[in-house]
Amino acid sequence: MTSLSEVYRAYIACLNRRDWEHLGDYVAEDVQHNGRNFGLSGYRDMLVNDFEQIPDLEFRIGLLVCEPPFVAARLDFDCSPKSAFLGLAVNGRRISFPENVFYEFRNDKIMSVWSVIDKVTVEAQLAT
Amino acid sequence: MTSLSEVYRAYIACLNRRDWEHLGDYVAEDVQHNGRNFGLSGYRDMLVNDFEQIPDLEFRIGLLVCEPPFVAARLDFDCSPKSAFLGLAVNGRRISFPENVFYEFRNDKIMSVWSVIDKVTVEAQLAT
């Protein structure tokens, strides 16, 4: 038996490998993201686009809190979006920011995601 | 024995009562907030200021994920900041937004907080 934390860490490794063939091992067909019905294909499109816009994107887990069927993670990003990010003209600058995100799992697959990215921190870095 | 989830719910009730006399029952003297050494008095000052700037502020727990010594919560706010909020000219408009926040406890008191408020959602509401 694999713990839900281990499932989550395997999901993050899948993202970092850009292993889209296996995304469906971790994400449900009817996945929701911030209340929207993305579905697995829409979720994959979002991730493919993220890696296209941010070529050096890497998901790193800063904090992981697990109480099945929920996982909460604080993800630490350190990357260089090519153009705009969150509506901000980053244009290749290297920025560091966290994302605090909740997941609800069903049968070891993500069925809902509630994500908040720290835009205020990005704005502060661009202002320097 | 009280579970950490119950301690956290009591902390939120304390905030909503504006019961600053008892804040130290839930928050450590050397508390940190987003990496800064606030201390209990600085933490109290932040909260008092929040309630002054947002008279109808109420903390509501949307999601609660607990794995001691950590608690992760998604808080749902529906309130009317008097003037600026997150650098945005809200000026009394009613806005709804989430905060995804992690807490680390020690001896049933909060010693670290890592919070992200959803500024993008607030911006979208002000644009309508």
Side-chain angles (χ1 to χ4, degrees):
Chain A
M1 196 182 126
T2 309
S3 75
L4 197 56
S5 301
E6 289 171 281
V7 171
Y8 180 70
R9 289 184 187 282
Y11 160 71
I12 291 295
C14 176
L15 299 189
N16 284 330
R17 283 196 312 268
R18 291 118 163 101
D19 182 4
W20 311 127
E21 304 283 308
H22 288 98
L23 189 65
D25 295 350
Y26 306 102
V27 177
E29 282 290 344
D30 58 345
V31 65
Q32 295 202 345
H33 188 277
N34 285 349
R36 289 183 295 170
N37 291 308
F38 266 37
L40 175 57
S41 64
Y43 198 90
R44 185 190 291 117
D45 290 347
M46 173 186 70
L47 288 163
V48 168
N49 184 61
D50 288 344
F51 278 98
E52 161 62 24
Q53 292 299 312
I54 312 172
D56 60 353
L57 180 59
E58 188 187 351
F59 291 74
R60 277 178 305 185
I61 300 170
L63 288 170
L64 179 53
V65 182
C66 181
E67 184 185 19
F70 293 98
V71 166
R74 182 169 171 93
L75 303 174
D76 295 315
F77 294 98
D78 185 358
C79 58
S80 313
K82 288 196 296 191
S83 48
F85 178 68
L86 304 176
L88 302 171
V90 177
N91 298 332
R93 277 190 64 171
R94 188 163 179 176
I95 52 174
S96 299
F97 59 91
E99 173 183 0
N100 286 2
V101 54
F102 291 81
Y103 307 83
E104 184 173 3
F105 284 75
R106 184 186 57 214
N107 301 328
D108 282 350
K109 292 191 183 186
I110 295 167
M111 57 179 284
S112 288
V113 182
W114 297 269
S115 154
V116 184
I117 295 173
D118 192 345
K119 180 169 182 172
V120 174
T121 288
V122 176
E123 288 171 330
Q125 286 169 63
L126 295 179
T128 60
Chain B
M1 197 181 126
T2 309
S3 75
L4 197 57
S5 302
E6 288 172 280
V7 171
Y8 180 71
R9 290 184 187 281
Y11 160 72
I12 291 295
C14 176
L15 299 189
N16 284 330
R17 284 195 313 268
R18 292 118 164 100
D19 183 3
W20 311 128
E21 304 282 309
H22 288 99
L23 189 65
D25 295 352
Y26 305 102
V27 177
E29 282 290 344
D30 57 345
V31 64
Q32 296 202 345
H33 187 277
N34 285 350
R36 289 181 295 170
N37 292 308
F38 266 37
L40 176 57
S41 64
Y43 197 91
R44 186 191 291 117
D45 290 347
M46 174 186 68
L47 287 163
V48 167
N49 183 62
D50 288 345
F51 278 99
E52 161 62 23
Q53 292 299 313
I54 313 172
D56 61 352
L57 179 60
E58 189 188 350
F59 291 74
R60 278 177 307 185
I61 300 170
L63 289 170
L64 179 53
V65 182
C66 181
E67 184 185 20
F70 293 98
V71 166
R74 182 168 170 92
L75 303 174
D76 294 317
F77 295 98
D78 185 357
C79 59
S80 313
K82 289 196 296 191
S83 48
F85 178 68
L86 303 176
L88 301 170
V90 178
N91 298 331
R93 277 190 66 173
R94 188 164 179 175
I95 52 174
S96 298
F97 58 91
E99 173 184 359
N100 285 2
V101 53
F102 291 81
Y103 307 83
E104 184 173 3
F105 285 74
R106 184 185 57 212
N107 301 328
D108 281 352
K109 293 191 182 187
I110 295 167
M111 56 178 286
S112 289
V113 182
W114 297 269
S115 156
V116 184
I117 295 173
D118 191 346
K119 181 169 181 174
V120 174
T121 288
V122 177
E123 288 171 330
Q125 286 169 64
L126 295 179
T128 61

